[in-house]
């Protein structure tokens, strides 16, 4: 009886070892380690990315509205300097430098406008410089608005991928169980 039971125990130990190895292999291959923690982390990640995308959408909408208002104004009364007051641009050194150049060009036009006529070459050059700087500021704003759109698209793609990964966690838990 003792020998028979010893053989049975040895057989069960082999099957148990094979089952444990199989379970460990499955867990490793399917990344089943700490599924609850992983699911919670995925949810935190998704929530953070959702918040980020909403912030970017709001920024893009505000910028698009500002650009639209500037573009809708009559050509002579467009003031692209309003773009420099946009919160993101306030922190941008390139925009700050562009605005400083624009203000200096405005001062040059004001200085030349008094004693000179509109046909004066220096005055025309100064006005052309102002228009060029305003165009650069406008182009910077529109390219930033496009970049925001691209960034939103990229985040949406990662959200889709993250959502798919999160959706697989419950099925892995069932398989593991």
């Amino acid at each position: 009886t003792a020998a028979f039971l010893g053989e049975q125990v040895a057989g069960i130990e082999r099957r148990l070892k094979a089952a444990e190895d199989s379970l460990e292999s499955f867990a490793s291959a399917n990344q089943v380690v700490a599924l609850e923690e992983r699911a919670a982390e995925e949810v935190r990640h998704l929530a953070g990315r959702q918040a980020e995308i909403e912030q970017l959408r709001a920024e893009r909408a505000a910028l698009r509205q500002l650009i639209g208002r500037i573009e809708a104004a009559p050509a002579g009364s467009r003031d692209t300097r309003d773009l420099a007051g946009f919160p993101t641009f306030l922190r941008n050194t390139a925009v700050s430098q562009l605005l400083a150049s624009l203000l200096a060009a405005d001062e040059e036009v004001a200085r030349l406008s008094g004693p000179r006529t509109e046909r004066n070459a220096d005055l025309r050059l100064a006005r052309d410089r102002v228009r060029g700087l305003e165009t650069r500021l406008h182009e910077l704003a529109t390219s930033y608005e496009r970049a925001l759109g691209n960034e939103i698209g990229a985040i949406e793609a990662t959200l889709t991928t993250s959502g798919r990964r999160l959706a697989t966690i419950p099925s892995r838990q069932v398989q593991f169980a």
Side-chain angles (χ1 to χ4, degrees), residues 74-151:
S77 66
R78 288 185 180 167
D79 195 2
T80 55
R81 288 159 194 79
D82 289 346
L83 291 169
F86 192 72
T88 302
F89 294 153
L90 285 173
R91 297 182 296 271
N92 186 309
T93 55
V95 173
S96 297
Q97 290 171 349
L98 189 58
L99 185 60
S101 297
L102 185 55
L103 293 174
D106 280 341
E107 288 175 11
E108 177 79 8
V109 167
R111 187 178 62 75
L112 293 171
S113 291
R116 311 226 162 119
T117 66
E118 292 299 318
R119 286 187 275 172
N120 181 277
D122 291 337
L123 182 58
R124 279 197 317 262
L125 253 157
R127 287 187 196 273
D128 288 345
R129 184 164 185 252
V130 166
R131 279 190 292 279
L133 290 166
E134 287 175 335
T135 299
R136 283 180 39 205
L137 186 58
H138 182 266
E139 288 169 351
L140 183 82
T142 55
S143 68
Y144 180 67
E145 190 263 335
R146 280 191 305 275
L148 284 173
N150 293 338
E151 188 173 357

Side-chain angles (χ1 to χ4, degrees), residues 44-57 155 159:
R44 278 192 296 277
H45 175 74
L46 281 172
R49 296 301 276 182
Q50 283 284 13
E52 183 181 356
I53 202 169
E54 290 307 317
Q55 181 181 358
L56 289 171
R57 283 180 179 147
I155 292 172
L159 285 175

